[in-house]
């Protein structure tokens, strides 16, 4: 420990110590890491085999399973990269305040990321999926469906790896959203449509707002919390940079570890879901008999579904009185979901589709008894109707009363129970991938957050303020089913505390981070769009 003398020659406060991030590689840790990967891959193969054989049907050739394996590895690769790219932000504060040693911190964070994934609801996962073009979701087992999945995942992985290599805390959420938009635009243009027609822009706007506003919340409220803490908790040690490698006082250390734990947990419960929805699309495309419908729903659920369907269909029929359709109702409903424009055929077509679904559910008694050749079509009809109900409930042109909106939402919930589900084994695999990623490539991002945002060493109070606000923001967003960026929230929170503390900012680093944030969306859009066009020629 060295002391810095001032101009008069008097000894000033000791300089903050530099954190030792490099440790010799332990061969035992490598072997355990490889063993976990091998076990996870075996568990994945066994789970898929068990589900497909249990459902009584599946692909009869090896090619679909090879494509499934490749797609699953890429999807899990995205979560792995997400782990060391995003979760590193959660451990930066405890490492740079010496609350935990680096190796212990990343393992600790990885474990709570795993728990966050396992307890997640799936709302964020299917919120992400709803951004995709509806025609690709309904035909996910087609060549276009495979091209979509490969294009958006590979482009997201490439951009995340590039920004990680440069040590820039860019957002995996932004990257994935941009990749989805790129695929949607490219798909529309290949179909001879305007590029803007391939994306549900209302959903993109909602998710975009959460991604854009959350860093502002992180910056402003972290700064305010630090200032509040200084006014209320007058403990100088809390606002002083550590000058030794010794851990901070026990109560400060406990606070820092608690906030790191919360950020890690909520990161897992939010970011961990982003790959789950895509994995489910992959499984549905290859083995619809096992994954298209939630076969675990009890037979008692049928009565609740039929009741909700009858109530909702009466409302839709009343608004479409005087109109009738002849033939297939699906094109008119698909057009409405795609264009968000009510036509003469929208209401009567939706009523027919709702009644067909209700009749089939009543006929089979339970989804587990649906014939193999009907499962995919039932799932598509349910998904299409659910999306139509969601859009109709928000459509001002529909002129629905509040109680009618509630009835439609109750019906949509019943539909989603049948189609929007995530098997436990998928959560386990995503949790393992995210947790292992956290333990591997964390150092580059940690250095940026811990050393290169402010001009002074991170204090205990700054670390705690940034982590508390980050955990609260991500937790609220998770409850609302909205994706947010742990990277954006936490790094902007650290910047806010530096500004509030008068610590000074390293503007070159902030400029590079801002440049990465600005370029992420257009880069991901262009990359995924081009990859989609290329893959369409190969599948």
């Amino acid at each position: 420990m060295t002391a810095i003398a001032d101009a008069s020659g008097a000894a000033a406060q000791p300089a903050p110590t530099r954190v030792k991030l490099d440790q010799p590689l332990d061969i035992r840790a490598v072997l355990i890491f490889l063993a976990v990967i091998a076990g996870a891959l075996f568990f994945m193969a066994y789970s898929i085999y068990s589900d497909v054989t249990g459902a009584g049907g599946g692909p009869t050739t090896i090619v679909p399973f090879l494509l499934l394996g490749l797609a699953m590895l890429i999807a899990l690769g995205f979560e792995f990269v997400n782990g060391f790219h995003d979760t590193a932000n959660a451990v930066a504060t405890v490492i740079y305040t010496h609350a935990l040693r680096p190796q212990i911190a990343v393992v600790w964070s990885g474990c709570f990321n795993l728990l966050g994934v396992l307890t997640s609801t799936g709302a964020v996962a299917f919120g992400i999926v709803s951004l995709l073009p509806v025609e690709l979701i309904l035909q996910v087992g087609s060549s276009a469906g495979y091209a979509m999945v490969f294009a958006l995942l590979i482009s997201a992985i490439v951009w995340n790896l590039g920004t990680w290599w440069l040590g820039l805390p860019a957002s995996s959420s932004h990257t994935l959203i941009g990749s989805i938009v790129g695929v949607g635009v490219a798909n529309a243009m290949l179909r001879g449509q305007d590029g803007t027609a391939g994306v549900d822009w209302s959903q993109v706007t909602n998710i975009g707002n959460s991604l854009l506003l959350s860093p502002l919340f992180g910056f402003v409220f972290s700064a305010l919390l630090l200032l509040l803490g200084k006014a209320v908790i007058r403990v100088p040690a809390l606002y002083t940079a550590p000058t030794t490698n010794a851990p901070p006082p026990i109560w400060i250390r406990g606070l820092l570890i608690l906030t790191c734990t919360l950020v890690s947990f909520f990161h897992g419960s939010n970011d961990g879901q982003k790959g789950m929805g895509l994995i489910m699309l992959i499984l549905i495309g290859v083995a619809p008999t096992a994954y298209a419908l939630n076969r675990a729903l009890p037979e008692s659920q049928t009565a609740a579904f039929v009741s909700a369907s009858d109530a909702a269909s009466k409302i839709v029929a009343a608004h479409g009185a005087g109109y009738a359709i002849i033939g297939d109702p699906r094109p008119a409903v698909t057009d409405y979901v795609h264009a968000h424009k009510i036509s003469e055929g929208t209401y009567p077509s939706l009523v027919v589709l709702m009644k067909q679904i209700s009749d089939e559910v009543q006929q089979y008694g339970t989804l587990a008894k649906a014939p193999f050749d009907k499962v995919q079509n039932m799932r598509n009809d349910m998904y299409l109707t659910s999306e139509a109900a969601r859009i109709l409930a928000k459509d001002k042109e529909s002129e629905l009363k509040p109680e009618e909106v509630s009835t439609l939402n109750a019906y949509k919930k019943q539909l989603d129970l049948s189609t929007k589900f995530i098997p436990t084994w998928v959560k386990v695999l995503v949790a393992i991938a995210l947790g292992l990623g956290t333990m591997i490539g964390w150092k580059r991002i940690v250095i940026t957050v811990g050393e290169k945002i402010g001009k002074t060493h991170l204090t205990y109070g700054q670390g705690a303020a940034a982590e508390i606000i980050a955990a609260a923001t991500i937790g609220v967003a998770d409850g609302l089913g909205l994706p947010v960026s742990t990277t954006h929230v936490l790094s902007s929170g650290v910047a806010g505390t530096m500004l509030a503390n008068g610590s000074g900012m390293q503007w070159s680093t902030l400029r590079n981070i801002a440049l990465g944030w600005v370029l992420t969306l257009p880069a991901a859009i262009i990359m995924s769009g081009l990859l989609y066009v290329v893959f369409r020629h190969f599948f």
Side-chain angles (χ1 to χ4, degrees), residues 249-440:
I250 187 65
W251 70 274
I252 296 176
R253 189 182 190 189
L255 176 62
L256 290 165
I257 294 174
L258 174 63
T259 55
C260 168
T261 302
L262 291 174
V263 171
S264 301
F265 177 84
F266 285 123
H267 175 269
S269 68
N270 192 282
D271 274 43
Q273 295 189 50
K274 291 163 189 171
M276 289 184 195
L278 299 174
I279 289 175
M280 288 308 300
L281 286 181
I282 295 168
L283 293 171
I284 290 168
V286 175
T289 55
Y291 300 108
L293 296 175
N294 188 359
R295 304 172 65 86
L297 285 178
E299 192 167 348
S300 59
Q301 190 70 31
T302 301
F305 179 88
V306 172
S307 176
S309 177
D310 289 344
S313 61
K314 288 177 182 177
I315 291 173
V316 176
H319 282 267
Y323 297 99
I325 64 161
I326 299 176
D328 188 358
R330 294 169 186 82
V333 180
T334 303
D335 288 342
Y336 174 64
V337 171
H338 196 271
H340 294 197
K341 186 70 176 177
I342 296 175
S343 66
E344 291 183 356
T346 300
Y347 287 118
S349 298
L350 184 56
V351 170
V352 171
L353 197 56
M354 293 167 74
K355 290 185 176 179
Q356 286 182 1
I357 295 171
S358 180
D359 290 343
E360 286 182 312
V361 171
Q362 281 185 292
Q363 178 184 349
Y364 306 137
T366 176
L367 296 180
K369 296 179 181 178
F372 299 148
D373 58 341
K374 301 290 186 181
V375 167
Q376 182 70 70
N377 286 337
M378 278 187 69
R379 187 257 174 189
N380 285 349
D381 289 348
M382 285 181 166
Y383 184 88
L384 184 61
T385 304
S386 173
E387 287 298 287
R390 175 181 65 83
I391 297 168
L392 194 62
K394 298 179 180 179
D395 195 337
K396 294 181 180 179
E397 189 181 346
S398 67
E399 298 181 347
L400 292 172
K401 299 176 183 177
E403 58 270 22
E404 292 176 329
V405 171
S406 298
T407 301
L408 275 183
N409 287 333
Y411 174 57
K412 180 185 182 304
K413 182 178 180 180
Q414 290 293 326
L415 288 169
D416 291 347
L417 286 174
S418 303
T419 60
K420 297 181 179 181
F421 67 101
I422 300 174
T424 301
W425 69 264
V426 172
K427 291 185 177 184
V428 171
L429 280 179
V430 169
I432 291 173
L434 197 65
L436 291 178
T438 303
M439 301 174 194
I440 294 298

Side-chain angles (χ1 to χ4, degrees), residues 100-388:
L100 287 175
R101 294 205 307 270
Q103 288 68 30
I104 294 177
V106 294
V107 172
W108 181 272
S109 179
C111 290
F112 281 93
N113 263 280
L114 187 146
L115 288 176
V117 175
L118 292 178
T119 57
S120 60
T121 62
V124 174
F126 294 109
I128 294 289
V129 169
S130 66
L131 296 175
L132 292 165
V134 66
E135 62 270 15
L136 291 183
I137 295 177
L138 299 181
Q139 301 172 12
V140 69
S142 65
S143 59
Y146 282 115
M148 168 191 71
V149 171
F150 285 130
L152 66 90
L153 284 175
I154 290 174
S155 60
I157 290 173
V158 168
W159 183 257
N160 280 345
L161 284 175
T163 52
W164 165 80
W165 182 257
L166 296 173
L168 297 178
S171 167
S172 295
S173 302
H174 261 147
T175 306
L176 187 58
I177 301 302
S179 298
I180 290 173
V181 171
V183 167
V185 170
N187 180 66
M189 295 179 71
L190 288 177
R191 293 162 62 91
Q193 300 173 334
D194 182 352
T196 59
V199 179
D200 186 344
W201 291 107
S202 64
Q203 280 290 90
V204 171
T205 300
N206 290 337
I207 291 176
N209 286 339
S210 71
L211 289 171
L212 290 173
L213 292 176
S214 54
L216 296 178
F217 288 160
F219 184 91
V220 173
F221 287 106
S222 294
L224 292 176
L225 183 58
L226 180 66
L227 294 175
L228 178 64
K230 283 187 169 185
V232 176
I233 308 174
R234 298 180 180 274
V235 180
L238 190 59
Y239 312 106
T240 304
T243 56
T244 71
N245 287 325
I250 187 65
W251 70 274
I252 296 176
R253 189 182 190 189
L255 176 62
L256 290 165
I257 294 174
L258 174 63
T259 55
C260 168
T261 302
L262 291 174
V263 171
S264 301
F265 177 84
F266 285 123
H267 175 269
S269 68
N270 192 282
D271 274 43
Q273 295 189 50
K274 291 163 189 171
M276 289 184 195
L278 299 174
I279 289 175
M280 288 308 300
L281 286 181
I282 295 168
L283 293 171
I284 290 168
V286 175
T289 55
Y291 300 108
L293 296 175
N294 188 359
R295 304 172 65 86
L297 285 178
E299 192 167 348
S300 59
Q301 190 70 31
T302 301
F305 179 88
V306 172
S307 176
S309 177
D310 289 344
S313 61
K314 288 177 182 177
I315 291 173
V316 176
H319 282 267
Y323 297 99
I325 64 161
I326 299 176
D328 188 358
R330 294 169 186 82
V333 180
T334 303
D335 288 342
Y336 174 64
V337 171
H338 196 271
H340 294 197
K341 186 70 176 177
I342 296 175
S343 66
E344 291 183 356
T346 300
Y347 287 118
S349 298
L350 184 56
V351 170
V352 171
L353 197 56
M354 293 167 74
K355 290 185 176 179
Q356 286 182 1
I357 295 171
S358 180
D359 290 343
E360 286 182 312
V361 171
Q362 281 185 292
Q363 178 184 349
Y364 306 137
T366 176
L367 296 180
K369 296 179 181 178
F372 299 148
D373 58 341
K374 301 290 186 181
V375 167
Q376 182 70 70
N377 286 337
M378 278 187 69
R379 187 257 174 189
N380 285 349
D381 289 348
M382 285 181 166
Y383 184 88
L384 184 61
T385 304
S386 173
E387 287 298 287

